[in-house]
Short mmCIF file of all heavy atoms in Angstrom, two decimals:
data_model
loop_
_atom_site.label_atom_id
_atom_site.label_comp_id
_atom_site.label_asym_id
_atom_site.label_seq_id
_atom_site.Cartn_x
_atom_site.Cartn_y
_atom_site.Cartn_z
N ILE A 56 -0.13 73.31 -49.18
CA ILE A 56 -0.09 71.94 -49.65
C ILE A 56 0.40 71.05 -48.52
O ILE A 56 1.37 71.36 -47.82
CB ILE A 56 0.84 71.78 -50.87
CG1 ILE A 56 0.30 72.62 -52.03
CG2 ILE A 56 0.96 70.31 -51.28
CD1 ILE A 56 1.21 72.68 -53.23
N ILE A 61 -4.11 58.60 -46.15
CA ILE A 61 -5.53 58.21 -46.12
C ILE A 61 -5.58 56.98 -45.23
O ILE A 61 -4.85 56.02 -45.44
CB ILE A 61 -6.06 57.88 -47.52
CG1 ILE A 61 -5.95 59.07 -48.45
CG2 ILE A 61 -7.51 57.38 -47.43
CD1 ILE A 61 -6.26 58.75 -49.91
N PHE A 70 -10.90 59.41 -45.04
CA PHE A 70 -10.42 59.99 -43.81
C PHE A 70 -8.91 60.16 -43.93
O PHE A 70 -8.19 59.21 -44.25
CB PHE A 70 -10.72 59.14 -42.58
CG PHE A 70 -10.29 59.77 -41.31
CD1 PHE A 70 -11.09 60.72 -40.67
CD2 PHE A 70 -9.07 59.45 -40.72
CE1 PHE A 70 -10.67 61.32 -39.49
CE2 PHE A 70 -8.66 60.05 -39.54
CZ PHE A 70 -9.47 60.98 -38.93
N ILE A 84 -8.39 70.13 -52.46
CA ILE A 84 -8.11 69.44 -53.71
C ILE A 84 -7.12 68.34 -53.36
O ILE A 84 -6.07 68.62 -52.78
CB ILE A 84 -7.54 70.40 -54.77
CG1 ILE A 84 -8.54 71.50 -55.06
CG2 ILE A 84 -7.16 69.62 -56.04
CD1 ILE A 84 -8.01 72.60 -55.97
N SER A 86 -4.92 64.62 -54.30
CA SER A 86 -4.29 63.83 -55.32
C SER A 86 -3.61 62.64 -54.65
O SER A 86 -2.82 62.82 -53.71
CB SER A 86 -3.25 64.67 -56.08
OG SER A 86 -2.56 63.89 -57.02
N MET A 89 -2.99 55.06 -56.85
CA MET A 89 -3.51 53.75 -56.45
C MET A 89 -2.84 52.68 -57.31
O MET A 89 -2.61 52.90 -58.50
CB MET A 89 -5.01 53.68 -56.68
CG MET A 89 -5.80 54.62 -55.79
SD MET A 89 -5.50 54.37 -54.04
CE MET A 89 -5.86 52.66 -53.87
N ALA A 127 -14.58 50.79 -57.70
CA ALA A 127 -13.89 49.53 -57.98
C ALA A 127 -12.72 49.32 -57.02
O ALA A 127 -12.49 48.20 -56.53
CB ALA A 127 -13.39 49.52 -59.42
#
Side-chain angles (χ1 to χ4, degrees):
I56 298 173
I61 300 171
F70 183 82
I84 299 172
S86 176
M89 295 303 306

